[in-house]
Amino acid sequence: MSLLPLWLLITIFAAAGTVVWFAGIQLSKTTDIIDSRFHLGSALGGLIVLAVATNLPEIAITVSAAISGNVDVAVGNILGGIALQTVVLVALDAFGKRGKDVKPLTYRAASLTLVLEAMVVIAVLVVVVAGSQLPSTLVFLRLAPAGVLIAALWVTGLLLVRRAGAGLPWHENGNAPASSRHQGGHRNRTSSSNPDASGSGGGTKMSTGTAVAMFAVSAVATLVAGVVLEVSGDAAANQLGVSGIIFGATILALATSLPELSTGLQSIKQGDDNLAMSDIFGGNAFLPVLFLIATVISGKAVLPSASATDIYLTALGILLTFVYAIGLIFRPMRKIASMGVDSVAVLCLYLVGIAGLFTIVS
């Protein structure tokens, strides 16, 4: 693909991004139906199924890089996307629900369960930083200790979120007054009164077979489009002379975050503010689990190959997640440019962080 002209590469990249966008909307709708029909439970149906589905582009890129032995590409793809996926919440806050009397996203979605999910993200990323300092020879049966611990933390987070859904020893079960109700686990169903609803809020009936088929088609489309995004984007970046690190942490990360953006906007449109935030935290907690997969495929300890920029972006992801966790606790009501003050802080910190990234790679 590197032999194609730049205009064609950009066209292919844009087309793949469009496919990822619309496939993400269908994944959100059909996951809700599959969750209900197969009685997966909110934690399993949302935190596992939807988080994996919306992160299929990252999975595709990581697996492709691990098979080819480019573990540094796999590391950069995973860690570079977490910070920007957190910034997706800024877009959801600004454009998800507009109006003079509309409260900021963290005010509407305030829940101790969401704070717990944010803490899981931070815990996983702290292990990423620590694991990057371990020797690359520390591999046994194609497993590295950091990758195993990250996967264990993710599973533990699933269990904790599910337990929190059964009840917390707090007033109102940890739900803040006047906030969106956050039901058990990761996913909050807005169409519970009609279990056959498509999830679009219109009450359209959809059979289980149709939902599974649509989910499979959307998943395959997201998977293929994710690979096309990586290949065409990398080729275009090379022709433009853009640093691979900068491109991966910005443009490519944004393109592969389109499923989270589309599902988030769809969730807010349906009145499910909790799901919009929960999908971002759930996806960010899941992404580092791919280090375990990459290690198993490549036979190499992946995390020790993390560069200074990778660790820098990981620290940025921790900081941005922390800001939103604080926002969920204090529930700021003030808005600036249609965003809550926490979203403004996250956007400013991200822009400063990317500026700092330029100083590292230059």
Side-chain angles (χ1 to χ4, degrees):
M1 192 171 286
S2 59
L3 300 178
L4 297 177
L6 180 60
W7 69 267
L8 184 55
L9 289 172
I10 295 176
T11 301
I12 293 173
F13 186 87
T18 302
V19 171
V20 168
W21 174 271
F22 287 104
I25 294 176
Q26 295 305 315
L27 285 173
S28 178
K29 293 180 179 180
T30 53
T31 296
D32 197 28
I33 300 173
I34 293 172
D35 177 15
S36 175
R37 303 288 170 78
F38 290 97
H39 308 288
L40 297 177
S42 53
L44 293 178
L47 190 53
I48 296 178
V49 177
L50 192 60
V52 171
T54 54
N55 280 290
L56 279 172
E58 287 85 352
I59 296 174
I61 295 171
T62 301
V63 171
S64 175
I67 291 175
S68 62
N70 297 323
V71 293
D72 54 336
V73 174
V75 174
N77 171 63
I78 295 170
L79 299 181
I82 290 175
L84 196 138
Q85 282 192 179
T86 307
V87 178
V88 167
L89 291 173
V90 175
L92 298 182
D93 193 7
F95 304 108
K97 186 179 293 185
R98 301 177 66 86
K100 183 179 179 181
D101 298 326
V102 174
K103 300 292 192 298
L105 180 60
T106 50
Y107 183 92
R108 304 193 310 266
S111 166
L112 288 180
T113 306
L114 284 174
V115 177
L116 174 61
E117 292 180 14
M119 294 302 101
V120 173
V121 175
I122 292 174
V124 166
L125 295 183
V126 167
V127 175
V128 167
V129 174
S132 67
Q133 304 304 306
L134 295 175
S136 58
T137 55
L138 196 58
V139 180
F140 181 70
L141 296 178
R142 302 180 78 88
L143 296 174
V148 174
L149 180 56
I150 288 170
L153 281 174
W154 181 64
V155 173
T156 301
L158 281 176
L159 298 176
L160 290 175
V161 169
R162 186 168 188 174
R163 181 171 180 176
L168 289 169
W170 291 77
H171 178 65
E172 295 263 348
N173 278 330
N175 291 306
S179 69
S180 302
R181 308 303 293 178
H182 188 85
Q183 303 299 327
H186 179 78
R187 190 169 180 80
N188 200 14
R189 198 180 331 281
T190 59
S191 55
S192 57
S193 61
N194 181 8
D196 292 325
S198 66
S200 62
T204 303
K205 298 295 182 72
M206 183 184 297
S207 67
T208 302
T210 301
V212 172
M214 287 185 63
F215 180 89
V217 170
S218 299
V220 171
T222 305
L223 183 65
V224 173
V227 175
V228 174
L229 280 173
E230 191 271 337
V231 176
S232 61
D234 183 63
N238 289 335
Q239 291 192 24
L240 291 172
V242 179
S243 166
I245 295 174
I246 297 296
F247 176 80
T250 54
I251 305 301
L252 182 59
L254 176 61
T256 54
S257 294
L258 285 175
E260 287 78 13
L261 181 58
S262 60
T263 55
L265 291 173
Q266 178 72 18
S267 299
I268 292 177
K269 180 181 178 180
Q270 296 172 191
D272 201 340
D273 303 302
N274 301 103
L275 177 58
M277 294 201 71
S278 197
D279 280 343
I280 297 297
F281 291 151
N284 285 349
F286 168 75
L287 276 176
V289 178
L290 297 179
F291 287 127
L292 177 63
I293 299 174
T295 299
V296 171
I297 293 175
S298 65
K300 304 175 183 178
V302 175
L303 268 176
S305 66
S307 64
T309 56
D310 296 326
I311 301 305
Y312 177 87
L313 290 171
T314 302
L316 181 59
I318 293 174
L319 180 60
L320 301 185
T321 304
F322 174 77
V323 172
Y324 270 125
I326 295 298
L328 286 167
I329 294 173
F330 285 91
R331 305 180 70 202
M333 295 181 62
R334 184 182 179 187
K335 297 178 68 175
I336 302 174
S338 300
M339 297 179 289
V341 292
D342 44 9
S343 291
V344 173
V346 165
L347 180 59
C348 292
L349 287 172
Y350 180 75
L351 293 176
V352 171
I354 293 300
L357 185 63
F358 276 95
T359 66
I360 297 176
V361 301
S362 60

